[in-house]
Amino acid sequence: MQNANNGQIKWHAKKRNLAVFLAGIMLIAYVSFLLVTNYLSAANLQRTLLEQLKRDTEWHATAVAYFFSERKDDLVNLALSREVSVFFENKALGMSMEYGLRQSLIPISDRFQDLIRRKKIGEDAIYSRIVLIEKGGSLLVDAAASRSLIKMRDEWSKHLPQDHEEAVVASSIDGRELRISISYFHKEKYAGRIIAWVEPETLYKHLLMEEGTANRMTFLVTDEKSGSLPVFMQPPPFASGFPDFGKIEIGRPLEFEANNYQGSNRKLIALRLPVQGTPFSLVVFASDPEIIGRPNPWQLVTRMALLALFVIGIVVFIIALSMKRLILQTQLHEAMLREAELQKKRQELEAEIAERRRVETALQDTEKNCRRSSTSCRTRLLQSI
Amino acid sequence: MKGKRVYTRNLCVKTIVLLSMAVMALALFPGTLLGRDLDAVKQDGVLRHLGIPYANFITGSGDGMDVELMKLFAKHLGVKYEFVKTDWSEIFGDLTGKTVKPKGDDIEITGSVPVKGDVAASGITVLPWRQKIVDFSLPTFPNQVWLVARADSPVKPIKSSNNISRDIAAVKKFIAGQPLLGKASTCLEPSLYGLEKITDRISLFEGSLNEMAPAIINGKSDLTLLDVPDALVALQKWPGKIKIIGPVSEMQDMAVAFSQDSPELRKEFNKFLNKSKKDGSYFRIVKKYYHFVPNYYPEFFRKKS
């Protein structure tokens, strides 16, 4: 009976152990699943954010390309304007500046001024200056938003391509100015050139700087022969570690660490995309924590594995505790069974003892009676003798 | 002897008739044989502006640079403004009461007419013969007379030598023997510049000054004289159709003409002109009607301001 009980208890314990083991395996599998899923999600998120950054930069590059194509159209319209053709027609008639020809420049100047005045983004002027230059390089018309610009020294004849039939965009050699230029052909012969200066501040303010994107900086970078230079760059927010713009490959994110002026390091990612139809590209520096601040996927796996081990450890500890409790319970149960058996045996023994005592008493009584009988017999015998 | 008596008698009769007519005119139209001065204008409460539709000085649509200037002058005087349309052949008679015939730099008084206006402002160039019949204000606008040709004319524009006399001489060489269009009694009269001695193919245009540029475009003549404001307007209106050959005159001034009987009115106008130059109203008017001229003649406007 006792053996059967023990076997049952052991079977239950085994069954429970198996369940716990299976639960542990399942838990480990679940944790592993979570681990992999999390890793994949994190990797996916990082990829998505990078794609988003790329798309944002592409959108900016498209907007900048459109901006410059509009500016080119402005110059094409100026070159096709009646005012400009009248001047060159009058010039071809042989008129001199002193006697009538100069008058033909005044409507051109008015038209340039009108364009400077009208073309705005919000309240900010797009053009700061538009000039008309004769074939030989002498200045014919100089329309500027402010008189101080007219006094500027110019080197336009040095840095712009000659005789180009389409409007071209270029930057000054120091990268601080943006110029759009178109050649004017009178009767299919190169006759002069119109050059317009675009305000880089307006471009940056309205197309490259976005509200709520403090973690990103976008720069217009010239890709001309002089090398890759940012156009109208504000003082960089980093003292050192800033990469050479020329080393940032088109479309390939570059991670780097830069030091700010307070001396602390910051991780950044740089992305460069071309601006179609211009010699420029856009370079965006992003320090978004979602892209840069988080560990890389392998670090994530390590951390997740450590977490899983901790969880599994706790589970094992709990299982161990449970097992111990189960063993104790079994032992208790067995002790109780043994105690009940002992009790029963004690009762049987007590009953036996009592029986024996009763039998002994009866024997004693019988003995006494026998003795008394023998004594009396002896006496009687003696007496009889 | 008898003939001399008859001549003297005829002269006396003529003089008496003229005097009688003058007395009758004075009786019928008091004050119309003499120009009115400042007090009379103020007393009458109206400033009569004599003008001829010409370029952007008087457009003919009720506005123009001289119209706005005279309206401001009338406002300055505190009187009403009235425009009196006239003609180049009559304008000085309408202002002074005397009809005149220019003879080179001199004039011949040919008769009397009623005075119709107090000031004459219509892009009037200051010329020596005109100064003999009227008084001019301070200059209000720069001028020069240019030789203008149709675009397809074989006459080629001169290259400036930076010497006006040499440029004029170069232009006059082109005129020799060529057909030339001018206009009598204006600054475009060829005889003012001795051109009648160079070419005998001068024709005097009967239409208005505004029609001279279209006249050469339409083949009326190969060459014409045009003053600078008109030539610049024509270059804008008909670009590529005409070309400026060069100057036939030195730099000239345009000004407002007053009767020699109106010295106070002229003095008051000069005061008003200086004031309007200082407060900018004069330049606003110039910019409105000839916005390209201040850029073309910056010295004039710098000096005059």
Side-chain angles (χ1 to χ4, degrees):
Chain A
M1 182 72 183
Q2 195 180 348
N3 286 341
N5 275 343
N6 282 343
Q8 208 171 12
I9 286 163
K10 278 180 185 172
W11 184 80
H12 276 297
K14 272 183 185 174
K15 199 174 159 187
R16 198 169 291 174
N17 283 347
L18 184 67
V20 167
F21 176 72
L22 286 174
I25 293 290
M26 279 173 72
L27 186 69
I28 288 168
Y30 183 62
V31 167
S32 302
F33 169 74
L34 283 182
L35 187 75
V36 171
T37 310
N38 205 328
Y39 161 68
L40 291 175
S41 298
N44 204 27
L45 176 69
Q46 210 165 33
R47 207 165 38 242
T48 306
L49 287 173
L50 203 58
E51 278 299 316
Q52 183 66 43
L53 178 70
K54 242 183 197 176
R55 271 201 297 278
D56 286 352
T57 314
E58 271 169 6
W59 184 87
H60 277 115
T62 307
V64 172
Y66 180 72
F67 172 83
F68 280 115
S69 79
E70 286 280 293
R71 305 291 73 78
K72 285 181 187 175
D73 279 350
D74 287 345
L75 257 69
V76 169
N77 287 334
L78 285 184
L80 293 175
S81 69
R82 188 76 190 119
E83 290 86 345
V84 175
S85 65
V86 162
F87 169 79
F88 286 103
E89 277 172 29
N90 286 339
K91 191 168 184 285
L93 287 173
M95 282 169 55
S96 65
M97 283 289 183
E98 289 75 10
Y99 303 116
L101 189 57
R102 200 169 61 210
Q103 192 273 338
S104 308
L105 295 175
I106 294 162
I108 300 174
S109 176
D110 289 347
R111 182 145 186 168
F112 286 3
Q113 289 283 8
D114 181 58
L115 192 72
I116 292 172
R117 210 169 27 249
R118 272 191 308 108
K119 289 285 173 179
K120 287 181 175 178
I121 305 181
E123 289 297 306
D124 302 304
I126 289 174
Y127 295 107
S128 58
R129 186 185 189 191
I130 305 174
V131 299
L132 174 65
I133 301 162
E134 219 176 352
K135 187 181 173 184
S138 55
L139 183 65
L140 293 172
V141 174
D142 193 341
S146 76
R147 302 302 298 170
S148 60
L149 283 172
I150 289 180
K151 290 172 188 164
M152 270 182 351
R153 272 181 66 84
D154 290 293
E155 298 174 325
W156 49 65
S157 52
K158 290 181 190 169
H159 307 300
L160 283 167
Q162 298 283 334
D163 300 4
H164 44 91
E165 288 188 10
E166 289 181 355
V168 290
V169 183
S171 66
S172 61
I173 198 151
D174 59 359
R176 294 202 64 81
E177 289 174 353
L178 287 172
R179 294 173 187 166
I180 300 162
S181 157
I182 190 165
S183 293
Y184 181 82
F185 294 86
H186 183 68
K187 293 183 178 168
E188 297 179 357
K189 282 185 181 168
Y190 174 66
R193 201 153 24 138
I194 300 170
I195 305 172
W197 276 255
V198 170
E199 287 281 3
E201 290 103 321
T202 305
L203 179 72
Y204 269 86
K205 184 176 167 188
H206 294 278
L207 295 178
L208 301 179
M209 282 158 60
E210 281 182 88
E211 281 180 22
T213 53
N215 293 324
R216 289 184 192 177
M217 294 169 289
T218 310
F219 297 100
L220 186 70
V221 176
T222 168
D223 296 334
E224 289 171 287
K225 286 176 191 170
S226 51
S228 292
L229 273 173
V231 177
F232 186 71
M233 195 176 84
Q234 308 279 2
F238 296 96
S240 63
F242 226 63
D244 179 0
F245 284 93
K247 287 181 182 166
I248 306 166
E249 285 179 46
I250 298 278
R252 226 174 140 178
L254 172 75
E255 279 192 44
F256 65 98
E257 215 167 81
N259 299 320
N260 64 15
Y261 291 101
Q262 284 77 43
S264 59
N265 284 4
R266 195 170 176 190
K267 275 191 173 179
L268 289 138
I269 192 163
L271 185 68
R272 181 176 183 168
L273 289 174
V275 177
Q276 297 300 327
T278 72
F280 304 125
S281 52
L282 281 192
V283 173
V284 62
F285 294 104
S287 58
D288 303 43
E290 292 83 5
I291 305 173
I292 304 292
R294 274 195 151 189
N296 66 32
W298 288 112
Q299 282 177 324
L300 186 79
V301 167
T302 313
R303 288 189 188 178
M304 284 297 290
L306 286 173
L307 183 69
L309 283 175
F310 177 70
V311 171
I312 289 167
I314 288 175
V315 168
V316 167
F317 178 70
I318 290 166
I319 290 171
L321 277 182
S322 168
M323 292 290 284
K324 205 172 177 180
R325 194 169 135 262
L326 195 66
I327 290 164
L328 284 173
Q329 269 183 342
T330 310
Q331 284 173 347
L332 181 66
H333 185 69
E334 282 175 354
M336 281 172 70
L337 284 174
R338 273 197 299 274
E339 196 182 333
E341 213 170 318
L342 285 172
Q343 186 72 21
K344 196 179 170 187
K345 278 183 180 174
R346 191 168 61 89
Q347 280 173 354
E348 281 173 357
L349 282 172
E350 278 175 357
E352 202 175 335
I353 289 166
E355 184 63 28
R356 280 188 182 180
R357 275 181 183 161
R358 190 184 61 79
V359 170
E360 199 176 335
T361 307
L363 282 173
Q364 279 173 356
D365 286 343
T366 309
E367 193 182 334
K368 271 180 189 174
N369 285 336
C370 285
R371 214 173 269 155
R372 211 176 292 134
S373 298
S374 70
T375 307
S376 75
C377 284
R378 213 172 17 190
T379 310
R380 273 180 205 158
L381 204 52
L382 287 167
Q383 283 174 345
S384 45
I385 307 172
Chain B
M1 190 70 183
K2 191 185 172 188
K4 195 181 176 185
R5 267 209 311 274
V6 170
Y7 173 77
T8 312
R9 199 177 62 196
N10 282 347
L11 192 69
C12 284
V13 168
K14 271 186 184 173
T15 311
I16 288 164
V17 168
L18 273 172
L19 276 172
S20 309
M21 282 173 70
V23 169
M24 278 176 69
L26 205 60
L28 287 170
F29 312 102
T32 55
L33 283 184
L34 293 172
R36 299 187 310 176
D37 207 356
L38 181 64
D39 288 344
V41 170
K42 281 187 172 174
Q43 199 177 353
D44 202 26
V46 62
L47 177 76
R48 295 168 304 170
H49 169 206
L50 289 163
I52 307 145
Y54 168 48
N56 290 348
F57 294 106
I58 292 171
T59 64
S61 331
D63 64 351
M65 183 187 143
D66 282 340
V67 172
E68 289 210 16
L69 200 63
M70 286 304 120
K71 277 182 178 173
L72 271 186
F73 181 46
K75 196 177 169 190
H76 168 82
L77 295 177
V79 297
K80 282 196 292 182
Y81 168 83
E82 186 184 303
F83 179 72
V84 181
K85 192 177 172 185
T86 181
D87 188 73
W88 285 109
S89 58
E90 293 166 7
I91 188 165
F92 297 110
D94 289 343
L95 181 68
T96 62
K98 295 165 202 161
T99 53
V100 293
K101 194 178 171 189
K103 284 190 168 176
D105 285 349
D106 227 327
I107 52 163
E108 184 193 341
I109 297 175
T110 54
S112 299
V113 287
V115 171
K116 291 181 183 170
D118 306 307
V119 290
S122 194
I124 300 171
T125 305
V126 179
L127 297 171
W129 71 265
R130 286 173 177 171
Q131 284 173 309
K132 300 224 165 98
I133 185 79
V134 293
D135 287 339
F136 281 102
S137 69
L138 294 171
T140 54
F141 211 71
N143 192 29
Q144 192 173 28
V145 177
W146 285 348
L147 180 69
V148 177
R150 211 173 39 248
D152 59 4
S153 163
V155 180
K156 288 189 175 170
I158 62 152
K159 300 283 174 204
S160 172
S161 64
N162 292 321
N163 180 307
I164 187 79
S165 303
R166 273 208 290 273
D167 289 351
I168 292 170
V171 171
K172 283 184 176 176
K173 276 186 193 166
F174 286 124
I175 298 173
Q178 295 288 322
L180 176 69
L181 197 64
K183 180 150 177 72
S185 303
T186 69
C187 64
L188 305 184
E189 174 138 9
S191 62
L192 289 171
Y193 313 106
L195 302 180
E196 80 284 3
K197 295 169 196 160
I198 301 170
T199 180
D200 55 357
R201 297 171 71 188
I202 289 172
S203 52
L204 294 175
F205 190 61
E206 294 297 323
S208 77
L209 282 173
N210 288 342
E211 293 165 329
M212 289 187 75
I216 63 157
I217 291 168
N218 293 330
K220 178 104 181 162
S221 172
D222 272 2
L223 301 172
T224 186
L225 299 181
L226 278 185
D227 61 22
V228 168
D230 207 13
L232 295 181
V233 170
L235 277 175
Q236 280 192 319
K237 280 187 184 170
W238 299 286
K241 304 272 186 197
I242 55 168
K243 57 187 176 187
I244 312 294
I245 306 300
V248 295
S249 80
E250 301 276 343
M251 281 302 297
Q252 299 170 328
D253 285 326
M254 287 179 167
V256 178
F258 293 86
S259 163
Q260 289 170 340
D261 299 322
S262 314
E264 292 304 317
L265 189 61
R266 186 175 74 102
K267 208 185 280 178
E268 192 60 30
F269 178 79
N270 285 341
K271 257 197 251 175
F272 155 76
L273 187 64
N274 283 331
K275 181 176 153 275
S276 57
K277 279 179 180 175
K278 276 181 192 158
D279 68 21
S281 50
Y282 165 74
F283 289 104
R284 268 199 301 278
I285 295 169
V286 171
K287 279 269 179 192
K288 185 173 171 187
Y289 292 98
Y290 286 104
H291 73 281
F292 44 84
V293 173
N295 289 328
Y296 204 82
Y297 287 117
E299 312 81 29
F300 177 88
F301 289 92
R302 214 170 19 243
K303 188 176 69 185
K304 306 299 171 189
S305 62

